[in-house]
Amino acid sequence: MLTIENLHAEVDGKAILKGIDLDVKAGEIHAIMGPNGSGKSTLSSLIAGNEDYEVTKGEMLLKGKNLAELDAEERAHEGIFLSFQYPVEIPGVSVTNFIKTAINANRKAQGLEDMPASELLKKIREKAKLLDIDSKFLSRSLNEGFSGGEKKRNEIFQMAMLEPSLSILDETDSGLDIDALKIVANGVNKLKSKNNATIVITHYQRLLDYIVPDFVHVLFDGKIVKSGTKELAHELEAKGYDWIKELASHGI
Amino acid sequence: MEFKEKLLSSHLAFEEDLDLNDSVHKTRASALKVFEDKGFPSKKEEAWKYTSLEALIQKDYALFPKSDSSIEVNDVKKYFLYDTDTYKVIFIDGVYSPFLSNTTHDGLDVCLMSAALSKPKYRKLIDTYFNKIAPEDDSMTALNTSYAKEGAYIYIPKSVVAEKPIEIIHFSSGNENALWLQPRNLIVVDENSQAQIIERHQSLKEHPVVTNCVTEIYVHQNAFLDYYKLQNDLPSASLIDGTFIVQEKNSHASVHTFSLGGKLIRNNLRYFHKGENVMSTLKGVTILHKKQHVDHATLVHHSQPNCESHQDYKGIFGERSEGVFNGQILVDKIAQKTNAFQQNNNILLDDKATVNTKPQLEIFADDVKCSHGCTIGQLDEEALFYLRSRGIPKKEAKALLTYAFANNVLESVQLPSLKKRINGQIAKKLGVNLGFDL
């Protein structure tokens, strides 16, 4: 699904990623953990096509296609979805109309006609139910005045509507209470299939109790310093990140 | 001959077939004197600092165009709210077109200024209302007054709700090389009455046309006026508009101005309060490209206690376009408990586009709530990335954000067919095919 090779990236001339290798196959869930400032969000932004970051070396391939050649919208058309850590408030655009515009833009890119309104409404109803989203919520302006939990649920709702092949959840657990966390995790789990893949980016192990990863990677100072299975997450939870810093400082 | 000289010397010819013994003649004559003394406004005047008429007045405009009856309904239908039944007062090159119009005297008057100014049965109303609020010392208004003869005359008597919207449309045919128009409208909404009015100025062919328009509006006790200005003319057309509104107690007057096309537009919009519990609404969306120039000069004069005014102007400026907003709020000492709010938000899409925005609040009362805010910015890059990351292409994403930016002004448009029309015009202006219905 996604292959990242020796990825280096910088923002405003400052190196953030210093050689990332990652291989995510269909059907897999990968967790990327690491302390603040290690480059986690940069990595997710880069995969989604944020132009604030510059790739200086290495490459990213999605289903064999070089992502460097694709704009953010083209990456979305290829099946990449980023659940934002801080979803942007857009007053004046309702959730429903936003999702309608997004779905039809993706269909257009695939050479399809607009989704018939009845089909769209049915799908919206079904996915809203999955995430316990009230219909009143759907007519509100996108993310405007949403609580942290509502924003994150709305992100996963969009993911459910767009049915991406690669989802990146950037700190989806931040700002969520335990009930909202369960709803979001349940949604993500229900959407999982053997044809799609998920990258979960998180600082804490908590989310991984509900979205169980196949692989866990630890990012520190722009490099993946350790990879393992879900037990690695527990180890991090128990020991904190200091021993990772220790590992990194010894060049291991 | 300079164009000013032409205006002065042509006045005799203009009044040739008019009654020189009535009071309107005196009004015209003294207005002409004001224009003669003051001339066209120059950039030296504070109120015209950012808008120059200099280039416009270099041309030799025709003042008395030949009437044209060759225009068919099908040529102009698209400028009407065709899917809604409306009263219409339509002019072509300043001359009334009975063929295109749909006027009435049935319970309310939707008819012609020329009739109101000349027929005895309107005399009392003209004496009461004509040229009573148009500022006498403003040279462009004075110029209009000196040539005041034709336009729309609308009178809604007490306790009447005009059940159809009223369209006032001034077409210019393009038959003259260059044309100068000076329509004069008078609108009176009497006690407990309501009306919705749409005004537009439209060239049918690309040719230089300048419209110096003045509209006087009286909104009496408990009356409601909902007024829309559609300014989406061809790039060769300019408009200098003066709209002056008097409101009596418990009335609401709302003016929406959509400035989407034209060469140069100057909107002077002024509100005067003559009673308590008045509500004044001023909203606008301006979307410009190329070298278009739009100047909104608003004034709300709070001279009574317990009144409210809300101003909300959004501007989106691309290429080398220029926007000006000068919003004046005056609160007299007597006008306690005034609520006066003003917002002017602008987005610059290109480096060469400019905006000058100036809130001007003069408050002499001490128990008031007044606020103003103006911003000039760009489209939010983060929001743009958010939309694009969902598969919405850059151009559509920009259009969507632009539209969303203007949306709270559009939301308050009360006529659904008009709202749909403006949405379509905005989408076209933004170069996208999005069915905006957010």
Side-chain angles (χ1 to χ4, degrees), chain A residues 48-51 71-73 76-77 81-82 84 88 90-93 97-98 102 105-106 142-143 155 158 162, chain B residues 380-383 385-396 400-401 403-405 407 411 434-435 437-438:
Chain A
N50 190 332
E51 289 157 10
D71 287 335
E73 56 266 37
H77 301 156
F81 179 89
L82 170 64
F84 281 59
V88 184
I90 305 186
V93 181
N97 279 293
F98 170 64
N106 281 289
L142 188 61
N143 293 321
E155 293 292 287
Q158 291 172 36
L162 293 167
Chain B
D380 182 356
E381 287 294 327
E382 224 184 314
F385 174 59
Y386 187 67
L387 297 183
R388 293 175 71 196
S389 79
R390 298 303 184 246
I392 301 170
K394 194 172 184 177
K395 193 173 171 191
E396 275 79 7
L400 196 63
L401 288 180
Y403 181 83
F405 171 75
N407 192 40
E411 252 174 6
L434 283 178
D437 184 18
L438 311 170

Side-chain angles (χ1 to χ4, degrees), chain A residues 104-221:
Chain A
N104 287 331
N106 281 289
R107 287 174 70 98
K108 194 176 171 192
Q110 269 122 43
L112 298 171
E113 294 285 305
D114 282 1
M115 184 180 274
S118 57
E119 195 185 322
L120 184 74
L121 284 175
K122 187 168 165 257
K123 191 168 178 178
I124 287 177
R125 230 175 275 130
E126 185 190 313
K127 304 299 182 188
K129 201 174 158 207
L130 173 71
L131 290 152
D132 201 16
I133 286 174
D134 190 278
S135 63
K136 272 190 225 114
F137 177 88
L138 298 170
S139 57
R140 284 170 61 186
S141 277
L142 188 61
N143 293 321
E144 191 189 26
F146 286 17
S147 69
E150 284 172 332
K151 281 183 180 166
K152 297 302 170 72
R153 259 193 283 169
N154 181 34
E155 293 292 287
I156 305 304
F157 168 69
Q158 291 172 36
M159 173 180 149
M161 290 298 296
L162 293 167
E163 300 175 344
S165 42
L166 175 70
S167 304
I168 306 151
L169 311 183
D170 188 4
E171 305 277 4
T172 295
D173 49 337
S174 68
L176 290 188
D177 61 30
I178 194 71
D179 293 328
L181 185 74
K182 281 181 186 167
I183 292 166
V184 164
N186 179 47
V188 172
N189 289 329
K190 286 238 170 85
L191 296 169
K192 184 180 184 289
S193 80
K194 63 180 187 338
N195 301 319
N196 61 28
T198 310
I199 298 174
V200 181
I201 290 179
T202 182
H203 186 88
Y204 301 105
Q205 187 268 338
R206 188 176 72 148
L207 180 65
L208 305 180
D209 285 341
Y210 300 95
I211 303 173
V212 181
D214 299 298
F215 300 96
V216 173
H217 311 277
V218 183
L219 191 62
F220 180 72
D221 193 23

Side-chain angles (χ1 to χ4, degrees), chain B residues 210-362:
Chain B
V210 179
T211 304
N212 177 33
C213 184
V214 169
T215 304
E216 289 179 286
I217 300 174
Y218 296 81
V219 186
H220 285 272
Q221 273 189 42
N222 302 311
F224 176 46
L225 175 70
D226 193 17
Y227 202 102
Y228 300 93
K229 291 172 179 284
L230 289 191
Q231 304 175 339
N232 193 15
D233 211 338
L234 299 181
S236 52
S238 297
L239 173 66
I240 298 146
D241 183 72
T243 297
F244 309 105
I245 303 175
V246 162
Q247 287 186 260
E248 295 197 355
K249 75 175 182 190
N250 302 323
S251 67
H252 182 187
S254 162
V255 175
H256 283 73
T257 306
F258 295 98
S259 309
L260 309 175
K263 181 189 177 80
L264 178 150
I265 300 175
R266 161 75 173 220
N267 287 303
N268 296 302
L269 177 58
R270 300 185 188 175
Y271 281 71
F272 305 94
H273 294 169
K274 296 272 145 88
E276 294 192 34
N277 300 312
V278 158
M279 167 78 102
S280 303
T281 305
L282 305 77
K283 295 194 178 192
V285 174
T286 305
I287 306 180
L288 300 183
H289 288 95
K290 305 216 172 88
K291 288 182 81 177
Q292 296 175 314
H293 179 104
V294 170
D295 180 341
H296 294 289
T298 67
L299 164 70
V300 181
H301 188 167
H302 283 270
S303 53
Q304 297 284 333
N306 300 308
C307 295
E308 266 188 48
S309 64
H310 292 265
Q311 292 188 60
D312 191 355
Y313 281 80
K314 308 284 186 205
I316 294 130
F317 301 92
E319 296 172 323
R320 306 172 74 92
S321 63
E322 300 167 338
V324 183
F325 178 81
N326 193 340
Q328 202 182 355
I329 297 175
L330 271 179
V331 183
D332 290 351
K333 198 168 180 188
I334 190 180
Q336 299 294 354
K337 306 282 181 196
T338 288
N339 284 326
F341 305 106
Q342 183 187 86
Q343 271 292 322
N344 173 235
N345 308 105
N346 302 287
I347 286 182
L348 298 178
L349 299 172
D350 294 297
D351 290 347
K352 298 257 164 67
T354 61
V355 174
N356 283 292
T357 174
K358 182 173 147 202
Q360 206 178 328
L361 278 65
E362 293 165 49

